[in-house]
Amino acid sequence: MGGRSKLQCSIILLAPLVLLITHRSSAEKVLLVPPPIADSRWFALAKIGKALVDRGHVGTAVVSEDFVGKRQAQRPELRYETFQDQGTQARLTEVQDSLCSSAEKHSVLRTLLSVSLITSGDFQKHCDLLLGDFSLVERLKAAQYSVVISDPAFPCGAIVAAL
């Protein structure tokens, strides 16, 4: 993808967010779909969610039942929709922590390859469980979110946006 295409794609993705931030006449519903690993990615999405809530919008995050207490403590201004992930997020976090602790012994490329190989099955299962929770999917559809914000590295967010 050329530089111009990436710029156009970025502008298209950011346009709804800019409109929500600058448009103050009505509250919009915003759904956050964070990846099951990398707290830094959660904090980035949650910061966007907080900024939108501070401007009068309603922010909701989809998280595992096992992690909802932790996420609520970090961002109490958000609402939460939960699903049972059968421990996939805990396993992914464990693998991430293990690989990060041994990262200085290996090259960055080797560590990234290890993470992607080890976590791909649990990543897919996590997404399957999220999308397979029919009650959750129906609640998300009924809520009619104006915008869905997700991490591009977590394709499940794009699927949720298409519901």
Side-chain angles (χ1 to χ4, degrees):
M1 185 183 282
R4 185 171 182 207
S5 297
K6 286 183 182 179
L7 178 61
Q8 288 173 335
C9 184
S10 296
I11 290 170
I12 291 169
L13 292 174
L14 290 175
L17 181 60
V18 170
L19 288 173
L20 277 177
I21 289 173
T22 59
H23 184 67
R24 297 178 186 259
S25 65
S26 67
E28 299 292 338
K29 294 180 183 178
V30 179
L31 183 65
L32 307 172
V33 187
I37 59 172
D39 275 351
S40 62
R41 292 173 183 238
W42 154 253
F43 288 123
L45 286 177
K47 187 175 182 178
I48 292 168
K50 181 184 182 329
L52 292 168
V53 168
D54 289 347
R55 286 167 177 78
H57 302 290
V58 178
T60 303
V62 178
V63 298
S64 159
E65 286 181 356
D66 296 341
F67 283 77
V68 70
K70 179 180 179 182
R71 297 302 185 222
Q72 285 174 325
Q74 293 164 336
R75 288 292 183 202
E77 66 278 353
L78 296 175
R79 296 179 182 183
Y80 293 87
E81 287 285 352
T82 63
F83 67 101
Q84 293 182 354
D85 76 345
Q86 298 178 4
T88 56
Q89 185 168 354
R91 284 192 300 280
L92 287 165
T93 301
E94 185 179 302
V95 168
Q96 171 190 295
D97 293 346
S98 172
L99 289 170
C100 287
S101 68
S102 67
E104 60 188 45
K105 299 176 192 172
H106 305 292
S107 72
V108 173
L109 180 59
R110 183 174 176 191
T111 301
L112 289 174
L113 287 172
S114 296
V115 169
S116 66
L117 290 173
I118 292 170
T119 61
S120 61
D122 278 326
F123 232 74
Q124 181 178 347
K125 184 174 182 181
H126 185 86
C127 188
D128 289 346
L129 291 166
L130 188 159
L131 296 171
D133 185 329
F134 298 114
S135 173
L136 170 65
V137 169
E138 288 305 313
R139 289 192 311 273
L140 296 178
K141 285 180 182 179
Q144 297 180 340
Y145 291 96
S146 301
V147 175
V148 177
I149 303 172
S150 183
D151 190 300
F154 185 48
C156 196
I159 297 169
V160 169
L163 296 175

